[in-house]
Amino acid sequence: MRIRNTLSGKLEELKPTDPGIVKMYVCGPTVYGLIHVGNARPMIVFDALRRYLEYRGYRVIMVQNFTDIDDKIIVRANELGVTFKDVADSFISEYWRDATALGVRAPNFAPKTSDFVQQIISSIEKLIAKGYAYVVDGDVYFDVKSFPKYGELSHRSLDDMISGARVEVNEKKRNPLDFALWKSAKPKEPAWQSPWGLGRPGWHIECTIMSTELLGSTIDIHAGGEDLIFPHHENEKAQSEALTGKPFVKYWMHNGMIRFSGDKMSKSLGNIFLLRQAIKAFGADALKLFFLSKHYRSPIDFSQDAIMSTVKAAQRASETFNRFESKISVPPLAKSDEWLEEKRAAFCDSLDDDFNTPKAVALIFEMINDLNRAMDEANDDMAVKIYHLLRREFCPVLGLFEVPSWAAKNSIDEVLQILIGVRNELRSRKVYDLADEIRLKLRANGIELKDKPEGTDYTFTGEV
Ligand SMILES: [Zn+2]
């Protein structure tokens, strides 16, 4: 497989450090609110990449973090009169709810910044000792001039950046591009004890620490939106390599931005489109198709017309599968043949080419037409072959059409409401053992029921 590496700007052959294992880190959300539809792009694309790598026989170890120490979270917590952890944990639960509805698999590890503060502190101490960082009044800054490769990822030269940088009011820094590793405590902020006094970690250091702690000094793929290249990923790279003396990442992958009515979507704009609203309006499969129909590196316009045409395409695929399933019983596929191998090769060729999902999606829809034609012609053998390849291989590899059609009609929320109703009825009849069994079985599937005076609610814990 070849991947366009942001670092080199070139297509490079994927050769993981440990043959057969791909270690992958995706920068996750800052949990101060519900995620919007723009967040769904990296979720969908890199979930599909992980599935494809597994299809090709790799073992993938994937980490996606939650940033739970952040200005916006602190502001929100102070507004609500709760702790930063209350805010973060409730939006992490909402994140799992959205990810489940979208049909995106949970990563192997989903660490939170607040669980790594001690490791962050000891790494900052090492950076200071090695001469890459300096302390000013309880703050610690990374000295970009001490790291000659600074700017390598974003392809900028340090001198150009310095001359172009706005002169900040912050007189503590030696250089305007130096960035905070540790911030001294301000009133009404969560704070941890450190050698430099009470404070909290800066943003960039958390990904360095969670990645190196969980996956080792050098990982294979580090992914995220292209808006993270500078400064976030540039800073992650500088810190990690200064710390370990080894390359941090072999392949950097960045997805293009989503534009909404022509503007880049962000929570700071008024036109928020929450992911859960989009799932409810268009369906998870249509949303996935929408993003996978465009190459991950290209920008994408979230327009009504574009999304409605993928809604129709998703419907056509589901109707075709329903038609097959209602007519033909699915025998196990006996053995491979030339036709199957040809299609598999075409599918893999597309995805091996810098994860060209639009080409793979086009092949899937070509085959959906072929499946309809085979059924029209009562060519059951052909129909079975196409169905197998689509339903058992190509679609699941991209995370498409996994939810059976009956379940797609009833959202997971509706199903849970039915179960909650049954459990309440059992409890009112004092059949507590059965009521508890419902709770325990849901818990084992990552869903926690919470009984409150106003009724029973549920949260997605993601812990399965
Ligand atoms: Zn990050």
Side-chain angles (χ1 to χ4, degrees):
M1 179 177 197
R2 289 177 311 155
I3 289 173
R4 186 169 298 271
N5 187 348
T6 308
L7 181 61
S8 65
K10 290 187 187 126
L11 278 175
E12 292 178 25
E13 192 66 37
L14 175 69
K15 283 190 202 136
T17 306
D18 297 329
I21 301 174
V22 175
K23 294 177 189 165
M24 185 171 170
Y25 187 101
V26 183
C27 289
T30 302
V31 276
Y32 69 97
L34 296 173
I35 57 172
H36 58 78
V37 77
N39 295 109
R41 191 176 197 187
M43 290 165 75
I44 291 168
V45 166
F46 298 118
D47 176 58
L49 175 67
R50 172 197 194 184
R51 291 165 186 253
Y52 179 60
L53 291 169
E54 287 176 350
Y55 178 66
R56 298 308 301 270
Y58 290 106
R59 189 177 145 224
V60 181
I61 309 174
M62 183 173 175
V63 176
Q64 185 191 289
N65 69 301
F66 288 111
T67 299
D68 69 346
I69 305 175
D70 173 85
D71 288 343
K72 296 191 195 84
I73 298 171
I74 295 166
V75 167
R76 185 113 197 203
N78 290 340
E79 277 167 10
L80 298 171
V82 296
T83 67
F84 83 95
K85 250 186 139 21
D86 292 332
V87 171
D89 287 349
S90 80
F91 286 113
I92 289 171
S93 169
E94 297 301 330
Y95 174 91
W96 292 126
R97 192 182 287 232
D98 287 342
T100 307
L102 191 59
V104 162
R105 283 167 50 195
N108 301 81
F109 300 97
K112 293 184 277 188
T113 318
S114 60
D115 290 332
F116 282 81
V117 175
Q118 289 318 313
Q119 291 92 327
I120 289 172
I121 291 172
S122 53
S123 299
I124 296 174
E125 285 185 288
K126 278 185 207 139
L127 284 171
I128 296 170
K130 285 182 157 196
Y132 290 107
Y134 57 93
V135 188
V136 189
D137 301 338
D139 292 334
V140 184
Y141 294 100
F142 188 91
D143 177 2
V144 294
K145 280 208 149 171
S146 69
F147 187 75
K149 284 195 208 160
Y150 193 78
E152 187 184 48
L153 179 66
S154 51
H155 305 283
R156 304 161 191 226
S157 90
L158 189 55
D159 289 339
D160 288 352
M161 280 192 275
I162 290 171
S163 61
R166 273 180 298 147
V167 180
E168 287 185 44
V169 222
N170 189 346
E171 286 166 5
K172 292 178 178 179
K173 292 198 223 173
R174 289 181 193 164
N175 186 312
L177 292 172
D178 291 351
F179 55 90
L181 298 168
W182 187 262
K183 298 175 176 178
S184 59
K186 295 196 199 87
K188 285 185 143 189
E189 282 190 359
W192 287 260
Q193 197 55 250
S194 80
W196 322 287
L198 280 174
R200 63 183 167 104
W203 172 34
H204 314 294
I205 189 76
E206 66 177 68
C207 288
T208 286
I209 300 311
M210 291 188 254
S211 182
T212 48
E213 287 281 327
L214 294 165
L215 296 171
S217 306
T218 303
I219 64 166
D220 299 300
I221 296 174
H222 192 114
E226 68 178 13
D227 55 340
L228 296 179
I229 297 174
F230 189 86
H232 185 50
H233 288 167
E234 191 72 62
N235 293 354
E236 277 184 30
K237 181 177 176 297
Q239 297 158 160
S240 311
E241 296 182 358
L243 204 55
T244 67
K246 293 181 189 141
F248 178 40
V249 171
K250 284 188 85 171
Y251 310 92
W252 290 90
M253 290 177 81
H254 292 101
N255 65 272
M257 294 291 99
I258 173 170
R259 288 181 299 217
F260 193 69
S261 312
D263 286 312
K264 190 190 123 182
M265 263 198 78
S266 93
K267 284 183 212 176
S268 57
L269 295 175
N271 50 8
I272 299 165
F273 205 170
L274 295 177
L275 176 57
R276 59 183 56 178
Q277 293 172 333
I279 294 174
K280 203 160 186 199
F282 310 117
D285 281 319
L287 271 183
K288 287 180 166 183
L289 262 186
F290 174 76
F291 285 113
L292 295 172
S293 298
K294 192 99 181 170
H295 191 268
Y296 72 91
R297 279 188 293 104
S298 310
I300 193 166
D301 284 311
F302 196 80
S303 71
Q304 184 80 10
D305 287 352
I307 186 80
M308 286 322 287
S309 81
T310 55
V311 169
K312 287 204 188 94
Q315 269 166 0
R316 191 152 55 88
S318 298
E319 281 163 16
T320 305
F321 293 144
N322 287 343
R323 181 183 172 200
F324 179 94
E325 284 153 16
S326 63
K327 273 178 131 181
I328 304 176
S329 63
V330 192
L333 194 58
K335 56 173 188 280
S336 200
D337 64 18
E338 212 174 300
W339 182 89
L340 284 165
E341 287 311 319
E342 244 170 55
K343 294 289 177 193
R344 283 191 185 112
F347 183 72
C348 293
D349 282 350
S350 311
L351 296 176
D352 282 348
D353 179 20
D354 194 22
F355 206 48
N356 191 335
T357 56
K359 226 170 149 188
V361 167
L363 176 66
I364 287 176
F365 276 89
E366 221 173 82
M367 287 170 64
I368 283 168
N369 289 339
D370 293 344
L371 176 56
N372 275 311
R373 196 173 318 117
M375 287 190 283
D376 291 342
E377 293 167 356
N379 184 349
D380 283 10
D381 288 350
M382 194 62 202
V384 166
K385 271 208 304 199
I386 300 172
Y387 178 86
H388 265 281
L389 205 51
L390 284 176
R391 205 76 166 118
R392 304 272 159 89
E393 292 185 37
F394 295 179
C395 291
V397 163
L398 293 179
L400 291 168
F401 311 113
E402 287 190 306
V403 185
S405 46
W406 64 266
K409 280 195 208 96
N410 303 294
S411 72
I412 190 149
D413 179 67
E414 285 166 62
V415 175
L416 284 171
Q417 294 307 338
I418 294 168
L419 279 171
I420 287 169
V422 171
R423 177 171 164 271
N424 286 341
E425 185 59 33
L426 287 169
R427 292 203 305 167
S428 73
R429 296 185 193 185
K430 300 197 185 336
V431 192
Y432 295 115
D433 50 343
L434 272 184
D436 274 348
E437 205 172 319
I438 291 177
R439 172 202 287 278
L440 292 174
K441 287 209 164 134
L442 287 173
R443 183 180 289 161
N445 284 285
I447 296 160
E448 188 67 45
L449 296 184
K450 284 189 177 166
D451 296 314
K452 297 176 179 171
E454 64 275 16
T456 305
D457 196 7
Y458 61 88
T459 52
F460 289 93
T461 61
E463 285 155 20
V464 180

